[in-house]
Amino acid sequence: MYRRCLPFLLMFLTLGPAAAQEGLPWANKIFTGKEEAPPPLIVHDFGTVPKGTVRTHRFNMTNIYAVPMQLMEPKPSCGCVSVLAYTDKMESKETGQIDIKIDTSRVEGVKVVRLPVVIVGTHPKSGERFQSIAQLEIRAVSRPDIFMNPGAFAFGVNPAGAKNTQSVTVTYNGRMKGWTITEVGYKKELFDVTVKPLDNKSGTMSYLVSATMKEGMPVGSFDDQIVLKTNDPAAPALMVNVTGTVQASLTLVPDNVMKIGNIEIGKKLEKRYLLKADKLFRIASVDGDGDGVTVSLPPVTAAKTQAVIVLFQPEKPGAVKKTLTIKTDAGESIQLTVEGKGTLPVAPPTDPNP
């Protein structure tokens, strides 16, 4: 059944006769996002990297077809590559991604890893399924004469303002005399980076590269790179991944937006939020209420988690959008947006035969 995909595909794709070229999987087009003939392989080449390097890459996708597409779980041909996350379903014109990671700690020399991606669609009339297999390939050259430990700067989760420091050791044990790291490229507004030569052992050259997060780093996840430039013609630039998350000092659970929907006048809806911090605090005040939105604060002692109870009781018909500013006794604040709509009560049906 699956191999009969081409006739069905041409019936309901909006891309014309160029939608499927003989010998090329039509699923490859989801990774190019174009109607034109795709390449036979969707390739990402990490280039030459020190052994032990850990790198990530995102394959972007666009469903250019007129029907929803479902992805089966991608399975790499080598354990050195892992799939971190992937979009398992895309509606027509929607986008998605496949995030992968390569770990070269057990790889030496040229490495080619296949990542077939099975993409399945369904005929809109008959319900018959069809599939194509996109051919992805990940390439890298792991140099055993350059070793990195650990393979990336992994900062993990950090509170806002933290000055976390992570280090990697880069060791060269090849034949080039005077091998050295000559320069470091990085975002100076985010990190401070130092390079320190270590004592030579058995003719090797080692450097301790340390990266420190700056206090003003923005809240959210980051995925960046630090570039180590060397005097080695075969590896003039070594790319090191830098990942982590900066967590706000105050967070609201479950989120910062309360969408209520329609509430009849005379009725009400109550929702409980939790305000969390990394230190003891009390809620000092809440500003911005009104138009049927009120806030109550249960009396409690100082704690790292406090309850905020939001009540919406519309006073008149119409949309309501209020931004509440919750302030703590530590001088910090966070905002909660409340969106709802007041509606007129529904009149009870009249009895046609009183």
PDB file of all heavy atoms in Angstrom, residues 50-53 78-81 102-109 111 142 147:
ATOM      1  N   PRO A  50      37.654  18.376  17.169  1.00  0.00           N
ATOM      2  CA  PRO A  50      38.465  17.583  18.094  1.00  0.00           C
ATOM      3  C   PRO A  50      37.690  16.366  18.589  1.00  0.00           C
ATOM      4  O   PRO A  50      36.466  16.420  18.747  1.00  0.00           O
ATOM      5  CB  PRO A  50      38.751  18.561  19.243  1.00  0.00           C
ATOM      6  CG  PRO A  50      38.484  19.919  18.690  1.00  0.00           C
ATOM      7  CD  PRO A  50      37.422  19.745  17.662  1.00  0.00           C
ATOM      8  N   LYS A  51      38.386  15.288  18.824  1.00  0.00           N
ATOM      9  CA  LYS A  51      37.734  14.120  19.409  1.00  0.00           C
ATOM     10  C   LYS A  51      37.165  14.503  20.777  1.00  0.00           C
ATOM     11  O   LYS A  51      37.811  15.191  21.563  1.00  0.00           O
ATOM     12  CB  LYS A  51      38.736  12.974  19.551  1.00  0.00           C
ATOM     13  CG  LYS A  51      38.115  11.692  20.083  1.00  0.00           C
ATOM     14  CD  LYS A  51      39.114  10.560  20.151  1.00  0.00           C
ATOM     15  CE  LYS A  51      38.471   9.303  20.695  1.00  0.00           C
ATOM     16  NZ  LYS A  51      39.417   8.174  20.775  1.00  0.00           N
ATOM     17  N   GLY A  52      35.959  14.035  21.046  1.00  0.00           N
ATOM     18  CA  GLY A  52      35.289  14.384  22.296  1.00  0.00           C
ATOM     19  C   GLY A  52      34.309  15.527  22.165  1.00  0.00           C
ATOM     20  O   GLY A  52      33.533  15.794  23.090  1.00  0.00           O
ATOM     21  N   THR A  53      34.331  16.202  21.007  1.00  0.00           N
ATOM     22  CA  THR A  53      33.435  17.338  20.807  1.00  0.00           C
ATOM     23  C   THR A  53      31.974  16.894  20.804  1.00  0.00           C
ATOM     24  O   THR A  53      31.626  15.860  20.237  1.00  0.00           O
ATOM     25  CB  THR A  53      33.753  18.035  19.470  1.00  0.00           C
ATOM     26  OG1 THR A  53      35.075  18.571  19.525  1.00  0.00           O
ATOM     27  CG2 THR A  53      32.768  19.167  19.189  1.00  0.00           C
ATOM     28  N   CYS A  78      24.132   5.357  13.826  1.00  0.00           N
ATOM     29  CA  CYS A  78      25.258   5.261  14.756  1.00  0.00           C
ATOM     30  C   CYS A  78      24.849   5.831  16.102  1.00  0.00           C
ATOM     31  O   CYS A  78      24.147   6.853  16.173  1.00  0.00           O
ATOM     32  CB  CYS A  78      26.472   6.011  14.209  1.00  0.00           C
ATOM     33  SG  CYS A  78      27.863   6.130  15.353  1.00  0.00           S
ATOM     34  N   GLY A  79      25.320   5.189  17.180  1.00  0.00           N
ATOM     35  CA  GLY A  79      25.017   5.677  18.514  1.00  0.00           C
ATOM     36  C   GLY A  79      25.686   6.990  18.852  1.00  0.00           C
ATOM     37  O   GLY A  79      25.346   7.619  19.859  1.00  0.00           O
ATOM     38  N   CYS A  80      26.633   7.442  18.025  1.00  0.00           N
ATOM     39  CA  CYS A  80      27.292   8.721  18.269  1.00  0.00           C
ATOM     40  C   CYS A  80      26.390   9.901  17.952  1.00  0.00           C
ATOM     41  O   CYS A  80      26.685  11.039  18.317  1.00  0.00           O
ATOM     42  CB  CYS A  80      28.583   8.810  17.462  1.00  0.00           C
ATOM     43  SG  CYS A  80      28.347   8.695  15.678  1.00  0.00           S
ATOM     44  N   VAL A  81      25.276   9.652  17.264  1.00  0.00           N
ATOM     45  CA  VAL A  81      24.290  10.688  16.955  1.00  0.00           C
ATOM     46  C   VAL A  81      22.990  10.326  17.646  1.00  0.00           C
ATOM     47  O   VAL A  81      22.537   9.182  17.600  1.00  0.00           O
ATOM     48  CB  VAL A  81      24.066  10.822  15.437  1.00  0.00           C
ATOM     49  CG1 VAL A  81      22.877  11.738  15.141  1.00  0.00           C
ATOM     50  CG2 VAL A  81      25.318  11.370  14.767  1.00  0.00           C
ATOM     51  N   ILE A 102      25.677  15.206  18.052  1.00  0.00           N
ATOM     52  CA  ILE A 102      26.741  14.258  17.779  1.00  0.00           C
ATOM     53  C   ILE A 102      27.759  14.331  18.910  1.00  0.00           C
ATOM     54  O   ILE A 102      28.096  15.410  19.394  1.00  0.00           O
ATOM     55  CB  ILE A 102      27.424  14.529  16.405  1.00  0.00           C
ATOM     56  CG1 ILE A 102      28.423  13.411  16.074  1.00  0.00           C
ATOM     57  CG2 ILE A 102      28.079  15.900  16.369  1.00  0.00           C
ATOM     58  CD1 ILE A 102      28.953  13.464  14.660  1.00  0.00           C
ATOM     59  N   ASP A 103      28.220  13.165  19.344  1.00  0.00           N
ATOM     60  CA  ASP A 103      29.237  13.052  20.391  1.00  0.00           C
ATOM     61  C   ASP A 103      30.396  12.261  19.805  1.00  0.00           C
ATOM     62  O   ASP A 103      30.277  11.071  19.519  1.00  0.00           O
ATOM     63  CB  ASP A 103      28.658  12.335  21.610  1.00  0.00           C
ATOM     64  CG  ASP A 103      29.646  12.252  22.778  1.00  0.00           C
ATOM     65  OD1 ASP A 103      30.842  12.526  22.555  1.00  0.00           O
ATOM     66  OD2 ASP A 103      29.224  11.905  23.893  1.00  0.00           O
ATOM     67  N   THR A 104      31.535  12.937  19.616  1.00  0.00           N
ATOM     68  CA  THR A 104      32.664  12.308  18.934  1.00  0.00           C
ATOM     69  C   THR A 104      33.658  11.664  19.890  1.00  0.00           C
ATOM     70  O   THR A 104      34.778  11.350  19.491  1.00  0.00           O
ATOM     71  CB  THR A 104      33.408  13.347  18.067  1.00  0.00           C
ATOM     72  OG1 THR A 104      33.961  14.360  18.921  1.00  0.00           O
ATOM     73  CG2 THR A 104      32.471  13.997  17.068  1.00  0.00           C
ATOM     74  N   SER A 105      33.260  11.449  21.134  1.00  0.00           N
ATOM     75  CA  SER A 105      34.203  10.884  22.107  1.00  0.00           C
ATOM     76  C   SER A 105      34.652   9.476  21.729  1.00  0.00           C
ATOM     77  O   SER A 105      35.733   9.040  22.131  1.00  0.00           O
ATOM     78  CB  SER A 105      33.571  10.881  23.507  1.00  0.00           C
ATOM     79  OG  SER A 105      32.374  10.125  23.516  1.00  0.00           O
ATOM     80  N   ARG A 106      33.830   8.750  20.976  1.00  0.00           N
ATOM     81  CA  ARG A 106      34.204   7.399  20.558  1.00  0.00           C
ATOM     82  C   ARG A 106      34.378   7.293  19.043  1.00  0.00           C
ATOM     83  O   ARG A 106      34.282   6.207  18.468  1.00  0.00           O
ATOM     84  CB  ARG A 106      33.156   6.394  21.039  1.00  0.00           C
ATOM     85  CG  ARG A 106      33.114   6.228  22.559  1.00  0.00           C
ATOM     86  CD  ARG A 106      32.064   5.219  22.971  1.00  0.00           C
ATOM     87  NE  ARG A 106      30.720   5.719  22.693  1.00  0.00           N
ATOM     88  CZ  ARG A 106      29.603   5.004  22.872  1.00  0.00           C
ATOM     89  NH1 ARG A 106      29.677   3.764  23.304  1.00  0.00           N
ATOM     90  NH2 ARG A 106      28.423   5.535  22.612  1.00  0.00           N
ATOM     91  N   VAL A 107      34.624   8.427  18.417  1.00  0.00           N
ATOM     92  CA  VAL A 107      34.753   8.468  16.958  1.00  0.00           C
ATOM     93  C   VAL A 107      36.117   9.014  16.590  1.00  0.00           C
ATOM     94  O   VAL A 107      36.580   9.996  17.170  1.00  0.00           O
ATOM     95  CB  VAL A 107      33.650   9.354  16.329  1.00  0.00           C
ATOM     96  CG1 VAL A 107      33.852   9.469  14.830  1.00  0.00           C
ATOM     97  CG2 VAL A 107      32.277   8.787  16.647  1.00  0.00           C
ATOM     98  N   GLU A 108      36.768   8.369  15.623  1.00  0.00           N
ATOM     99  CA  GLU A 108      38.035   8.867  15.090  1.00  0.00           C
ATOM    100  C   GLU A 108      37.971   8.864  13.575  1.00  0.00           C
ATOM    101  O   GLU A 108      37.451   7.927  12.970  1.00  0.00           O
ATOM    102  CB  GLU A 108      39.216   8.014  15.572  1.00  0.00           C
ATOM    103  CG  GLU A 108      39.528   8.160  17.048  1.00  0.00           C
ATOM    104  CD  GLU A 108      40.809   7.456  17.443  1.00  0.00           C
ATOM    105  OE1 GLU A 108      41.498   6.925  16.542  1.00  0.00           O
ATOM    106  OE2 GLU A 108      41.128   7.429  18.648  1.00  0.00           O
ATOM    107  N   GLY A 109      38.505   9.924  12.978  1.00  0.00           N
ATOM    108  CA  GLY A 109      38.528  10.007  11.529  1.00  0.00           C
ATOM    109  C   GLY A 109      37.185  10.411  10.950  1.00  0.00           C
ATOM    110  O   GLY A 109      36.334  11.000  11.608  1.00  0.00           O
ATOM    111  N   LYS A 111      33.500  10.277   9.748  1.00  0.00           N
ATOM    112  CA  LYS A 111      32.296   9.592  10.200  1.00  0.00           C
ATOM    113  C   LYS A 111      31.103  10.096   9.404  1.00  0.00           C
ATOM    114  O   LYS A 111      30.870  11.302   9.293  1.00  0.00           O
ATOM    115  CB  LYS A 111      32.052   9.841  11.694  1.00  0.00           C
ATOM    116  CG  LYS A 111      30.938   8.976  12.271  1.00  0.00           C
ATOM    117  CD  LYS A 111      31.306   7.502  12.239  1.00  0.00           C
ATOM    118  CE  LYS A 111      30.227   6.618  12.813  1.00  0.00           C
ATOM    119  NZ  LYS A 111      30.621   5.192  12.764  1.00  0.00           N
ATOM    120  N   SER A 142      36.566  13.486  13.048  1.00  0.00           N
ATOM    121  CA  SER A 142      37.038  13.572  14.429  1.00  0.00           C
ATOM    122  C   SER A 142      38.546  13.379  14.448  1.00  0.00           C
ATOM    123  O   SER A 142      39.063  12.325  14.079  1.00  0.00           O
ATOM    124  CB  SER A 142      36.354  12.498  15.278  1.00  0.00           C
ATOM    125  OG  SER A 142      36.850  12.514  16.594  1.00  0.00           O
ATOM    126  N   PHE A 147      41.986  16.624  21.389  1.00  0.00           N
ATOM    127  CA  PHE A 147      40.945  16.049  22.249  1.00  0.00           C
ATOM    128  C   PHE A 147      40.347  17.135  23.122  1.00  0.00           C
ATOM    129  O   PHE A 147      41.072  17.985  23.663  1.00  0.00           O
ATOM    130  CB  PHE A 147      41.529  14.935  23.122  1.00  0.00           C
ATOM    131  CG  PHE A 147      40.500  14.221  23.934  1.00  0.00           C
ATOM    132  CD1 PHE A 147      39.663  13.274  23.357  1.00  0.00           C
ATOM    133  CD2 PHE A 147      40.336  14.505  25.286  1.00  0.00           C
ATOM    134  CE1 PHE A 147      38.697  12.615  24.108  1.00  0.00           C
ATOM    135  CE2 PHE A 147      39.378  13.849  26.047  1.00  0.00           C
ATOM    136  CZ  PHE A 147      38.559  12.902  25.444  1.00  0.00           C
TER     137      PHE A 147
END
